[in-house]
Amino acid sequence: AGTGEANGRNSSSWGDGVYKSTDGGHTWAHMGLDDTQAIGRIVIDPTNPEVVYVAALGHLWGPNAERALFKTTDGGKTWQKVLFINDDTGVSDVAIDPQSSNILYAAAYERRRTVWGFNGGGPNGGVYRTTDAGATWKKLTGGLPEGDVGRIGLSVYRKDPNIVYAEVQAAKGGIFRSEDKGLTWKKMSSTDPRPSYF
């Protein structure tokens, strides 16, 4: 379970990392990532439950280094940053290919709350893909919005993982669909919600 509020409102609260239960939720142990403050999603490798990915947004009110996509290969005992962009850009979502768990998609999101407003977006935001379980990443374009990009939601279609959906907040945002594992995208809808109510 990831703690913290991933929808960055001015009234957001923050957490202290990841917790794990091995008895169906009766008891929980803290597994680290204390300073991530806001976790958007956790995915578990369907072929190996010791391998877990955590999408962490980091501090809402300032920069910090614990905003990234983290990976553990030992059930949460140790963590590695596998996708880190900078101290201002975290990861809001992650999706795993159910038939090929080396393929993952991550949504990078730059955000900052201030007393006078909210900055939700930047040039480093976007959809990133790995085909080697997080060792290397490539930013996907191929029809996705360019320029400053805000919050993104991701989903892989379980019956056909060639199909990937991305809901992208941007000037020309909306819902996009790929039928070739993210290489090219087609806009399906102009739905573009505010990130704080995502």
Side-chain angles (χ1 to χ4, degrees), residues 133-154:
T136 60
W137 294 83
K138 179 181 180 182
K139 187 175 183 179
L140 301 178
T141 53
L144 290 173
E146 298 178 357
D148 287 353
V149 175
R151 190 162 180 186
I152 298 171
L154 297 170

Side-chain angles (χ1 to χ4, degrees), residues 116-132:
W116 56 88
F118 178 72
N119 174 27
N124 294 305
V127 180
Y128 291 75
R129 186 184 73 166
T130 180
T131 57
D132 52 18

Side-chain angles (χ1 to χ4, degrees), residues 5-9 38 40 55-60 67-69 83 85-93 106-113 118-128 139 148-154 167-170 193-198:
E5 177 56 70
N7 300 311
R9 288 284 292 158
L57 287 155
H59 292 194
L60 178 61
R67 60 175 84 235
L69 184 71
L83 177 60
I85 296 168
N86 58 44
D87 285 353
D88 296 312
T89 307
V91 178
S92 60
D93 204 356
Y109 179 36
E110 180 179 336
R111 64 172 195 161
R112 177 69 48 79
R113 170 68 62 185
F118 178 72
N119 174 27
N124 294 305
V127 180
Y128 291 75
K139 187 175 183 179
D148 287 353
V149 175
R151 190 162 180 186
I152 298 171
L154 297 170
E167 185 172 23
V168 182
Q169 181 208 5
R194 292 174 61 193
S196 51
Y197 299 104
F198 203 79

Side-chain angles (χ1 to χ4, degrees), residues 49-96:
E50 294 292 294
V51 177
V52 182
Y53 298 87
V54 173
L57 287 155
H59 292 194
L60 178 61
W61 292 84
N64 80 310
E66 280 204 50
R67 60 175 84 235
L69 184 71
F70 292 88
K71 178 182 180 180
T72 180
T73 56
D74 54 16
K77 295 175 184 174
T78 60
W79 297 92
Q80 174 189 5
K81 282 184 190 176
V82 291
L83 177 60
F84 175 75
I85 296 168
N86 58 44
D87 285 353
D88 296 312
T89 307
V91 178
S92 60
D93 204 356
V94 59
I96 192 167

